[in-house]
């Protein structure tokens, strides 16, 4: 967790929950798991428990102390909608996001079914509505998980976004990227020793759908060298929020 972040599409990270369990192929080389497990058993370290799921109530109100407006990636080291995070804890996270109205919060999950249920029944707001500074998104890595995109498209948050990272195959997103059902897409490849390949044609197909597009990285073994340009251009588009 940090008041600043090296993740290209955000300014800061906030982790009121840490730890998670794998749910789909995109999790195979989860960077958060690899990082956290390095510190398992180190007394006093925030990841002393490794990647076991842990709630951090003392971090719940942290963004209120950050006075400068930022984009904040919620739970970069977990998944807020993991089945073991209690509803009232998720509600407390949403309450902070509402109270820290000067920030924009980016909530990204691989469990959008629970996100949709939560927003519908626990957000103390009308059905499908959430706070205007809260962006809701899902990870979609292969065609098999396009249903996650449909769930996000069913929400009425200011920003409904997809993170196609690591992109592991071609995606046919025509059904959800038409109109303004989804208003931001991030694409990136896996990085590190085990990085699985990503075909440029898969990326171009998503870019050309006409939705604000952020190309994060080519990844691979040397992420820095591989860079983040596509067809000699850097794609840093962000969603419209007004
Ligand atoms: S859902 Fe995200 S945080 Fe959880 S194991 Fe998968 S990649 Fe890691």
């Amino acid at each position: 967790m940090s008041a600043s972040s090296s993740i290209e599409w955000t300014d800061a990270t906030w982790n009121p929950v840490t730890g998670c369990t794998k749910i789909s192929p995109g999790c195979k080389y989860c960077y958060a798991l690899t990082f956290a497990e390095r510190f398992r058993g180190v007394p006093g370290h925030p990841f002393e428990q490794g990647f076991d799921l842990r709630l951090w109530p003392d971090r719940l109100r942290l963004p209120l102390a950050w006075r400068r407006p930022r984009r904040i990636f919620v739970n970069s080291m977990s998944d807020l909608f993991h089945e073991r995070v209690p509803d009232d804890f998720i509600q407390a996270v949403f309450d902070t996001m509402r109270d820290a109205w000067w920030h924009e919060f980016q909530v990204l999950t691989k469990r959008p079914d629970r996100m949709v249920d939560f927003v519908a029944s626990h957000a103390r707001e009308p059905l499908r509505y959430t706070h205007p500074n809260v962006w809701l998104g899902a990870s979609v890595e292969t065609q098999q998980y396009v249903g996650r995109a449909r769930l996000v498209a069913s929400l009425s948050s200011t920003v409904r976004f997809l993170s196609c990272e690591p992109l592991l195959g071609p995606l046919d997103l025509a059904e959800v990227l038409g109109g303004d059902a989804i208003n931001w897409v991030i694409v990136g490849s896996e990085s590190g020793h085990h990085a699985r390949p990503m075909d440029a044609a898969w990326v171009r197909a998503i870019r050309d759908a006409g939705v604000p597009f952020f190309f994060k990285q080519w990844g691979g073994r040397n992420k820095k060298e591989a860079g983040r340009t596509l067809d000699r251009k850097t794609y840093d588009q962000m969603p419209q929020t007004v």
Side-chain angles (χ1 to χ4, degrees):
M1 179 172 44
S2 169
S4 63
S5 170
S6 61
I7 299 171
E8 290 82 353
W9 47 265
T10 198
D11 299 323
T13 54
W14 170 45
N15 284 288
V17 184
T18 55
C20 190
T21 50
K22 295 181 179 181
I23 188 169
S24 62
C27 300
K28 187 170 183 184
Y29 303 115
C30 172
Y31 73 92
L33 181 151
T34 307
F35 179 85
E37 286 298 332
R38 260 190 247 153
F39 303 100
R40 182 179 286 279
V42 177
H45 193 278
F47 288 103
E48 181 180 1
Q49 70 291 334
F51 206 49
D52 300 347
L53 193 114
R54 177 173 172 179
L55 307 180
W56 296 83
D58 56 322
R59 296 179 180 177
L60 274 172
R61 304 297 278 171
L62 191 62
L64 293 162
W66 297 343
R67 303 312 303 174
R68 183 172 58 77
R70 287 156 225 229
R71 288 199 185 106
I72 300 173
F73 178 16
V74 180
N75 278 350
S76 61
M77 299 296 290
S78 182
D79 185 332
L80 183 61
F81 294 97
H82 189 281
E83 54 276 16
R84 298 215 322 269
V85 181
D87 274 358
D88 59 355
F89 198 85
I90 299 174
Q91 182 63 60
V93 170
F94 270 73
D95 288 348
T96 293
M97 296 194 287
R98 175 201 59 208
D99 295 345
W101 50 266
W102 58 95
H103 299 307
E104 291 175 310
F105 291 92
Q106 299 161 307
V107 180
L108 177 63
T109 184
K110 281 192 174 68
R111 296 162 172 92
D113 41 355
R114 188 174 181 207
M115 180 165 72
V116 168
D117 287 349
F118 176 81
V119 170
S121 56
H122 292 93
R124 296 184 199 142
E125 301 281 354
L127 188 67
R128 290 184 176 174
Y129 180 76
T130 186
H131 313 304
N133 61 330
V134 176
W135 303 8
L136 298 177
S139 300
V140 179
E141 64 265 46
T142 66
Q143 188 66 27
Q144 189 186 343
Y145 296 96
V146 169
R148 292 178 184 161
R150 282 188 214 108
L151 286 165
V152 171
S154 76
L155 293 162
S156 62
S157 53
T158 310
V159 175
R160 298 165 301 281
F161 70 101
L162 303 181
S163 170
C164 305
E165 185 191 11
L167 182 60
L168 299 176
L171 295 182
D172 179 1
L173 291 169
E175 171 202 341
V176 283
L177 292 185
D180 63 353
I182 295 291
N183 43 13
W184 190 39
V185 183
I186 303 161
V187 174
S189 184
E190 203 156 50
S191 57
H193 287 303
H194 302 285
R196 289 165 282 182
M198 178 176 73
D199 192 313
W202 308 341
V203 187
R204 290 189 188 107
I206 297 171
R207 175 197 62 187
D208 296 342
V211 172
F213 173 74
F214 194 105
F215 184 54
K216 184 166 171 278
Q217 61 180 31
W218 283 109
R221 282 170 172 256
N222 189 337
K223 162 182 152 156
K224 210 167 180 182
E225 199 171 277
R228 51 184 300 264
T229 59
L230 172 65
D231 298 333
R232 296 183 298 283
K233 198 172 160 190
T234 302
Y235 290 88
D236 277 339
Q237 295 166 0
M238 298 301 288
Q240 289 254 334
T241 52
V242 284

